[in-house]
């Protein structure tokens, strides 16, 4: 088993490592202008500098832990994460009840669906001017844009999940005496959970895209802001270091959500739960 | 269970004062189908099922046997006529007429225990009592080791055992079964048929059982109601009258099987002709 894992690790790393080696060699040979594309080693050093605390540890300034987390990268990551989570909670928090209502009530569905279909194709980015007009600068317009981005995938998947609940479960539940709220909470909602979880994951992905854009316009920290700032100074190495940080953070979040989803859906046919 | 019901199982004769468990009078069901126009699924069905009786509805697909079962369950009410259970008109589904589906219809997000407990929770039974009842049922159906498993981890036969435990938990006098063993392999099916007969005689249930399996119906039923292909009518009611457990290779069994096969095949031919007519009409 361990041997197999080591083997698959070699396979999955082969192409990235080879690309990095060629890139590094080309940079060192002077083939590529470092302003346009810095070498991998330069990016790495810049990333370390970005992540490291700016000043050496001084007990007078606070605890070791506070010092350790005083680096720019961790502050930016925390700021971005805070915006994503706030926006996501607002967006998904509105989308879930709306989606559940639209899924269960034909009347609500017919009332709200046209509006939803008109608004859905408008990318959140198109709301940027209005967001600034309505909410000014700082976090509020970012929350607004992110929640918009998260709202639609969650609402659409929730409606779909509720409307496609297999009729046999409802028949069985009614036969066992369930109705009204019991039918909804104990049967319809759990049956729709696989769809809802998909919506939440997609919604979080969109929220993560939107946060980077939102940070480029209205705030002065966060990973998105840092990339734009680096551009002003032609720090290509820092731009790439920022991009990599975004990628790592996104991967970490999605892995967490996927774990959560596997746990909530451990009953689901498609998922094999490891022993 | 009532003392009156206890007289009936297996006997085939109904004590005079007993009210039938199920009374079906003049039940007709029509529906509109896109390419068929008005379809008469059921046409004037009359049938009484005595308390503790085991009745099979037998016929080819399209004979309306499931439609009739759904009318008794209250899932889809008849266009005209009436269905009464224990003298009360059926207007909606209810736990007094528990149904076992061919597709099992277990809730996949609930463990075996939670599936069986669900009906009792709805009734508002105390937790301790639920646990006692469900654990006893799981033991009866040899499911104890699977108590905390999810349905996806069980075989078809095991799932159907859970579905049976789930309806038994409700202690409903009437069990409705819609081709419950249709998706199982032959050995598992026989095993569950025996299990069902054991439960039926021990618990004094009234069972209305839909099947297209001729052998299955002879093996299980007190009476077999053979139905006609569209419009669905009662073609013939056959009393089986052999003692249980029945020997499927006995001459008596095979004689009845031949007779029933002839009747069902006649309806099957009408079904095939109708399909062919429909195909050429396109």
């Amino acid at each position: 088993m361990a041997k197999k894992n080591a083997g698959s690790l070699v396979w999955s790393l082969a192409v990235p490592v080879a690309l990095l080696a060629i890139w590094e060699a080309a940079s060192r040979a002077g083939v590529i202008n470092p302003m346009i594309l810095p070498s991998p080693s330069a990016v790495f050093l810049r990333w370390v500098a970005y992540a490291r605390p700016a000043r050496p540890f001084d007990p007078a300034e606070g605890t070791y832990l506070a010092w350790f987390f005083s680096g720019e990268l961790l502050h930016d990551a925390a700021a971005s994460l805070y915006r994503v989570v706030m926006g996501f909670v607002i967006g998904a928090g509105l989308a879930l009840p709306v989606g559940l209502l639209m899924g269960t009530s034909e009347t609500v569905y017919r009332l709200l669906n046209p509006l939803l279909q008109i608004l859905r194709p408008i990318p959140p980015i198109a709301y940027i001017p209005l967001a600034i007009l309505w909410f000014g600068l700082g976090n509020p317009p970012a929350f607004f844009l992110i929640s918009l981005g998260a709202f639609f995938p969650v609402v659409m998947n929730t409606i779909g999940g509720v409307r496609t609940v297999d009729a046999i479960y409802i028949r069985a539940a009614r036969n066992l005496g369930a109705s009204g709220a019991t039918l909804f909470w104990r049967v319809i909602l759990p049956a729709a959970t696989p769809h809802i979880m998909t919506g939440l994951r997609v919604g979080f992905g969109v929220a993560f895209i939107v946060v980077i854009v939102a940070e480029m316009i209205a705030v002065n920290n966060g990973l998105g802001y840092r990339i734009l700032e680096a551009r002003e100074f032609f720090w290509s190495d820092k731009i790439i270091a920022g991009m990599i940080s975004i990628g790592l953070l996104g991967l970490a979040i999605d892995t967490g959500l996927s774990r959560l989803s596997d746990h909530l859906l451990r009953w689901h046919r498609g998922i094999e739960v490891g022993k | 269970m009532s003392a009156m019901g206890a007289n009936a199982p297996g006997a085939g004769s109904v004590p005079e004062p007993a009210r039938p468990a199920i009374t079906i009078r003049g039940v007709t069901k029509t529906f509109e189908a896109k390419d068929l126009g008005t379809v008469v699924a059921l046409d004037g069905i009359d049938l009484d099922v005595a308390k503790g009786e085991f009745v099979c509805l037998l016929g080819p697909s399209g004979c309306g046997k499931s439609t009739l079962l759904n009318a008794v369950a209250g899932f889809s009410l008849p266009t005209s006529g009436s269905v009464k259970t224990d003298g009360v008109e059926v207007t909606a589904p209810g736990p007094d007429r528990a149904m076992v589906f061919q597709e099992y219809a277990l809730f996949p997000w609930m463990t075996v225990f939670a599936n069986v407990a669900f009906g009792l929770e709805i009734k508002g039974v105390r937790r301790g009592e639920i646990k006692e009842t469900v654990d006893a049922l799981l033991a009866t159906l040899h499911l104890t080791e699977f108590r905390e498993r999810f349905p996806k981890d069980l075989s078809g036969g095991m799932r159907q055992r859970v579905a049976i435990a789930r309806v038994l938990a409700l202690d409903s006098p009437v069990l409705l079964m819609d081709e419950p063993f249709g998706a199982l392999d032959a050995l598992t099916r026989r095993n569950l048929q025996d299990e069902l007969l054991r439960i039926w005689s021990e618990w004094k249930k009234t069972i209305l059982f839909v099947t297209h399996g001729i052998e299955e119906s002879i093996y299980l039923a007190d009476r077999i109601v053979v139905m006609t292909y569209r419009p669905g009518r009662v073609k013939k009611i056959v009393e089986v009258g052999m003692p249980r457990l029945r020997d499927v290779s006995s001459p008596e069994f095979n004689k009845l099987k031949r007779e029933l096969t002839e009747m069902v095949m006649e309806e099957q031919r009408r079904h095939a002709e109708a399909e062919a007519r429909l195909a050429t009409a396109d």
Side-chain angles (χ1 to χ4, degrees):
Chain A
M1 201 60 199
K3 200 174 178 181
K4 200 180 163 195
N5 277 344
S8 72
L9 193 67
V10 168
W11 272 104
S12 55
L13 286 180
V15 173
V17 167
L19 275 175
L20 282 174
I22 295 169
W23 175 10
E24 181 75 34
S27 295
R28 296 204 172 199
V31 181
I32 308 170
N33 177 355
M35 195 81 99
I36 304 290
L37 185 63
S39 71
S41 57
V43 170
F44 178 72
L45 289 176
R46 193 58 190 245
W47 189 79
V48 170
Y50 182 23
R52 226 171 43 185
R55 279 175 295 178
F57 176 56
D58 177 2
E61 286 183 17
T63 62
Y64 185 80
L65 205 68
W67 170 80
F68 185 81
F69 286 106
S70 70
E72 203 181 24
L73 169 61
L74 289 172
H75 273 259
D76 284 340
S80 295
L81 198 58
Y82 170 65
R83 291 183 191 113
V84 172
V85 169
M86 287 297 290
F88 179 77
V89 166
I90 296 167
L94 289 171
L96 278 173
V98 172
L100 292 173
L101 219 63
M102 287 180 72
T104 35
S105 158
E106 191 59 34
T107 315
V108 177
Y109 181 81
R110 284 169 63 181
L111 282 173
L112 293 185
N113 193 45
L115 181 66
L116 202 65
Q117 296 307 332
I118 293 166
L119 294 179
R120 194 162 65 97
I122 305 173
I125 294 155
Y127 285 91
I128 286 175
L130 278 182
I132 294 172
L133 209 59
W134 292 347
F135 298 100
L137 295 177
N139 277 336
F143 293 161
F144 171 71
L145 294 170
I146 296 160
S147 58
L148 262 178
F151 180 83
F152 290 100
V154 177
V155 87
M156 296 313 293
N157 277 285
T158 304
I159 295 169
V162 173
R163 285 170 73 97
T164 56
V165 169
D166 198 334
I168 190 87
Y169 298 139
I170 297 178
R171 274 157 54 106
R174 289 180 65 206
N175 183 246
L176 295 168
S179 61
T182 313
L183 189 64
F184 178 77
W185 291 109
R186 300 288 308 273
V187 178
I188 295 173
L189 189 62
T193 321
H195 275 87
I196 295 174
M197 282 311 298
T198 306
L200 290 175
R201 280 181 72 179
V202 174
F204 212 100
V206 176
F208 203 69
I209 294 169
V210 176
V211 73
I212 302 300
V213 180
E215 285 174 348
M216 288 181 171
I217 51 144
V219 292
N220 55 11
N221 60 5
L223 296 167
Y225 169 79
R226 206 59 66 197
I227 291 178
L228 205 71
E229 184 197 52
R231 194 202 65 148
E232 305 284 335
F233 297 101
F234 278 103
W235 290 337
S236 330
D237 46 2
K238 192 164 183 183
I239 294 175
I240 298 174
M243 289 167 62
I244 291 169
S245 307
I246 291 167
L248 290 175
L249 186 62
L251 179 66
I253 291 168
D254 193 64
T255 308
L257 277 179
S258 146
R259 289 269 167 82
L260 176 70
S261 167
D262 285 357
H263 175 73
L264 286 178
L265 302 180
R266 62 197 180 283
W267 51 269
H268 203 249
R269 246 175 252 267
I271 293 162
E272 288 304 318
V273 180
K275 291 267 159 101
Chain B
M1 271 297 125
S2 69
M4 271 192 295
N7 298 330
S13 63
V14 189
E16 212 48 56
R19 188 159 46 194
I22 305 170
T23 315
I24 299 168
R25 283 288 172 277
V27 162
T28 297
K29 177 85 185 175
T30 58
F31 58 88
E32 300 299 321
K34 227 185 285 166
D35 38 3
L36 297 170
T38 305
V39 173
V40 183
L42 295 172
D43 185 19
I45 305 274
D46 290 316
L47 182 69
D48 279 347
V49 180
K51 281 176 180 151
E53 198 181 13
F54 198 137
V55 171
C56 277
L57 301 177
L58 178 68
S61 55
C63 72
K65 56 194 191 299
S66 291
T67 311
L68 185 57
L69 198 71
N70 281 328
V72 179
F75 287 131
S76 111
L77 299 175
T79 317
S80 66
S82 84
V83 178
K84 288 180 182 166
T85 52
D86 205 17
V88 181
E89 187 83 30
V90 169
T91 54
D96 58 321
R97 284 155 283 127
M99 179 103 143
V100 177
F101 303 87
Q102 180 177 4
E103 316 86 319
Y104 320 123
L106 297 176
F107 304 121
W109 53 90
M110 294 185 195
T111 60
V112 166
F113 180 89
N115 263 288
V116 179
F118 186 64
L120 294 171
E121 283 173 28
I122 293 168
K123 270 191 181 174
V125 179
R126 278 188 309 107
R127 254 175 205 292
E129 202 177 314
I130 290 178
K131 193 177 163 301
E132 231 168 78
T133 311
V134 174
D135 280 338
L137 272 171
L138 294 181
T140 309
L141 283 148
H142 314 293
L143 288 165
T144 306
E145 308 92 280
F146 302 95
R147 193 175 185 272
E148 299 307 325
R149 298 282 188 88
F150 287 104
K152 69 160 180 154
D153 299 325
L154 305 181
S155 66
M158 283 294 175
R159 284 181 202 178
Q160 203 53 290
R161 279 171 189 274
V162 179
I164 291 170
R166 185 170 70 172
V167 299
L168 289 177
L170 295 168
D171 199 23
S172 84
V174 173
L175 297 188
L176 306 175
M177 309 188 89
D178 193 0
E179 302 195 28
F181 308 144
L184 305 176
D185 66 84
L187 289 175
T188 310
R189 186 183 308 139
R190 176 51 42 86
N191 187 251
L192 276 173
Q193 284 165 348
D194 288 342
E195 197 92 50
L196 180 64
L197 286 173
R198 178 173 66 89
I199 288 164
W200 166 74
S201 68
E202 267 175 34
W203 297 50
K204 320 280 186 227
K205 297 289 185 190
T206 306
I207 299 184
L208 189 57
F209 188 108
V210 161
T211 181
H212 58 244
I214 293 159
E215 188 175 302
E216 180 170 64
S217 66
I218 307 170
Y219 192 72
L220 294 173
D222 293 324
R223 283 191 299 157
I224 300 169
V225 179
V226 184
M227 295 183 63
T228 63
Y229 177 75
R230 248 162 239 167
R233 295 193 180 112
V234 175
K235 186 182 178 81
K236 193 165 184 199
I237 297 181
V238 179
E239 296 258 357
V240 179
M242 284 178 253
R244 293 185 179 88
L245 292 169
R246 290 166 184 158
D247 177 2
V248 295
S249 58
S250 72
E252 216 182 340
F253 195 105
N254 279 294
K255 181 169 169 285
L256 187 53
K257 191 169 162 183
R258 257 194 305 281
E259 288 171 25
L260 283 167
T261 307
E262 217 163 279
M263 282 187 247
V264 173
M265 283 314 289
E266 200 177 297
E267 296 309 314
Q268 176 62 32
R269 266 194 298 280
R270 292 185 50 218
H271 180 196
E273 281 161 16
E275 299 265 279
R277 265 202 307 280
L278 192 66
T280 48
D282 283 341

